[in-house]
Amino acid sequence: MHESIWSDLTGVSFTQGYIDAGGTKTRYVKSGDSSKPVLILLHGTSGHAEAYSRNMAAHGEHFDTWAIDMIGHGWSDYPETTYEIPTYAEHVLRTMDAIGKEKAHISGESLGGWVATHLAVHHPDRVDKVVLNTAGGWVANPEVMERIKKVSNAAADNPTWETVKARLEFLMYDKSMVNDDLIECRRRIFNRPGYSDVTRRILCLQEMDVRKRNLFTKEQYGSIQSPTLVLWTSHDPTATVEQGREIASMIPGSEFVVMDKCGHWPQFENADEFNRIHVDFLTG
C-alpha cells in the first residue's frame, strides 16, 4: 500500500508559501484560520515542515498552525551564518514578526525542541505554551552525535534513495514508517545546490565544544515560566526516557508524557495519540 504526504493532507484546508522573515526566505505549511491562537511547529536537524504532515488537520481545528522550514533547512534560505541555537531562535522570532504575531505556542521536535526551550528561557514574552518533543538541549552523547553526523553527511553528500532512506530510518522505531514519498521529499531538498555544505554547518551542534556552549543549565530550565509539556518516547535514539524525565523535573509545573513504540518522530509515527496529547495540553 502506497503511503503519501498527500494522503496525510487529504481533506485538510492548508496553504504552502514563503514569507520574508527578517531577510530570510522562509517556507511554511499552514492550516487553521488567523483568528485562532498561533501554534508554530519546529522540526529537527535536517528536517522540514513535512515532519508535521499528519498533524495539520487536528491542529488546524484549534490553532492558526504554522509548520516552518527553519533557517538552513528544507526550502528556506540557507545563508552563511553560524547555525547555533540563538540563530534558529532569532529566525523563529522574525517569522512571528512577519506573520504579525506577538505570541505563540511553540512546539518543537529534537532541534526544534532545543530552539523552543531557548525561546521559553530567553523570550518568555513571546511564548504561550511550549512542547519539548524528544528535545535537544540537555544531553551530549558522543556516540549519538557521531551517528547523526555520519547518516546526515552521507545523505547530503550523496542524496541517493538509499542514503536518504537510512537518514529517515534513524528517526523511526518502526522503519517501515519511512514511506517513498517522505524519502523523495527529503532527497529533493538534499539535492539543492550547496546543500552538502550547509549540512556541515548545521551539524556544528554535533561537535562537543559547540554543543556544550548551547546546552541549558539547570537554572535556565528552572526559569521557564510557560506551561510546558515534555513529550518523550520509549525508543528515542538520541536520549533515554530518564533523561527526558530529568528535563521535565527541572521545569516548574511541567507535564511529562512517554509515547510507547515510537522513536524520534512520535508526531508522525503515532499521529492519533500525539494529536490527542498535544491538543489536550495546548487547549487545556
Side-chain angles (χ1 to χ4, degrees):
M1 183 175 66
H2 180 68
E3 294 287 340
S4 168
I5 290 163
W6 287 105
S7 300
D8 299 334
L9 294 170
T10 298
V12 184
S13 179
F14 76 98
T15 57
Q16 176 184 239
Y18 291 87
I19 53 175
D20 181 340
T24 300
K25 184 180 179 183
T26 301
R27 181 244 187 173
Y28 66 85
V29 177
K30 177 187 181 302
S31 65
D33 69 72
S34 57
S35 67
K36 295 173 180 174
V38 185
L39 168 63
I40 297 179
L41 302 170
L42 304 175
H43 58 74
T45 300
S46 298
H48 36 92
E50 283 78 9
Y52 293 100
S53 62
R54 297 180 174 176
N55 316 114
M56 300 305 288
H59 290 80
E61 292 180 19
H62 303 276
F63 306 100
D64 182 16
T65 305
W66 297 73
I68 67 169
D69 288 352
M70 290 196 289
I71 188 170
H73 287 73
W75 297 100
S76 291
D77 280 350
Y78 41 97
E80 289 195 23
T81 186
T82 303
Y83 285 94
E84 298 187 38
I85 299 305
T87 300
Y88 294 111
E90 182 67 19
H91 176 239
V92 175
L93 293 173
R94 299 294 76 79
T95 297
M96 290 171 63
D97 292 343
I99 64 177
K101 303 298 182 181
E102 186 62 30
K103 262 188 137 172
H105 299 307
I106 309 287
S107 178
E109 173 262 327
S110 191
L111 170 65
W114 200 340
V115 176
T117 307
H118 181 97
L119 291 166
V121 169
H122 295 286
H123 302 277
D125 57 318
R126 305 296 302 268
V127 179
D128 279 327
K129 294 185 178 181
V130 64
V131 180
L132 309 182
N133 171 8
T134 62
W138 180 242
V139 179
N141 183 323
E143 290 181 5
V144 172
M145 291 155 64
E146 191 57 39
R147 187 178 174 199
I148 291 170
K149 282 194 291 186
K150 184 176 180 180
V151 295
S152 299
N153 282 326
D157 290 348
N158 181 29
T160 66
W161 191 267
E162 291 72 24
T163 60
V164 175
K165 184 171 183 276
R167 176 65 180 90
L168 287 162
E169 285 181 340
F170 169 77
L171 304 168
M172 308 292 183
Y173 167 69
D174 177 358
K175 310 304 184 193
S176 70
M177 297 289 287
V178 178
N179 62 56
D180 291 357
D181 209 17
L182 195 58
I183 295 168
E184 182 58 16
C185 176
R186 187 166 291 200
R187 198 184 70 81
R188 294 285 183 99
I189 291 167
F190 284 177
N191 267 300
R192 294 181 70 187
Y195 210 77
S196 177
D197 293 336
V198 78
T199 296
R200 280 176 163 71
R201 295 202 295 276
I202 286 166
L203 292 171
C204 69
L205 290 166
Q206 310 307 323
E207 303 292 341
M208 189 60 77
D209 58 335
V210 178
R211 190 179 190 88
K212 280 186 173 179
R213 68 173 176 249
N214 283 272
L215 295 177
F216 302 109
T217 64
K218 183 176 181 179
E219 290 72 27
Q220 285 176 316
Y221 280 113
S223 74
I224 293 175
Q225 302 166 23
S226 302
T228 303
L229 170 65
V230 179
L231 191 150
W232 227 259
T233 66
S234 58
H235 292 79
D236 180 61
T238 66
T240 64
V241 170
E242 289 70 28
Q243 288 164 331
R245 185 177 284 110
E246 190 175 8
I247 292 171
S249 73
M250 294 183 284
I251 301 172
S254 70
E255 298 180 28
F256 182 65
V257 175
V258 179
M259 287 180 57
D260 193 28
K261 295 182 180 176
C262 290
H264 206 46
W265 263 27
Q267 77 284 351
F268 188 90
E269 296 176 82
N270 188 343
D272 288 344
E273 183 181 359
F274 177 90
N275 290 338
R276 177 183 57 76
I277 292 168
H278 205 242
V279 169
D280 282 353
F281 169 73
L282 293 173
T283 58

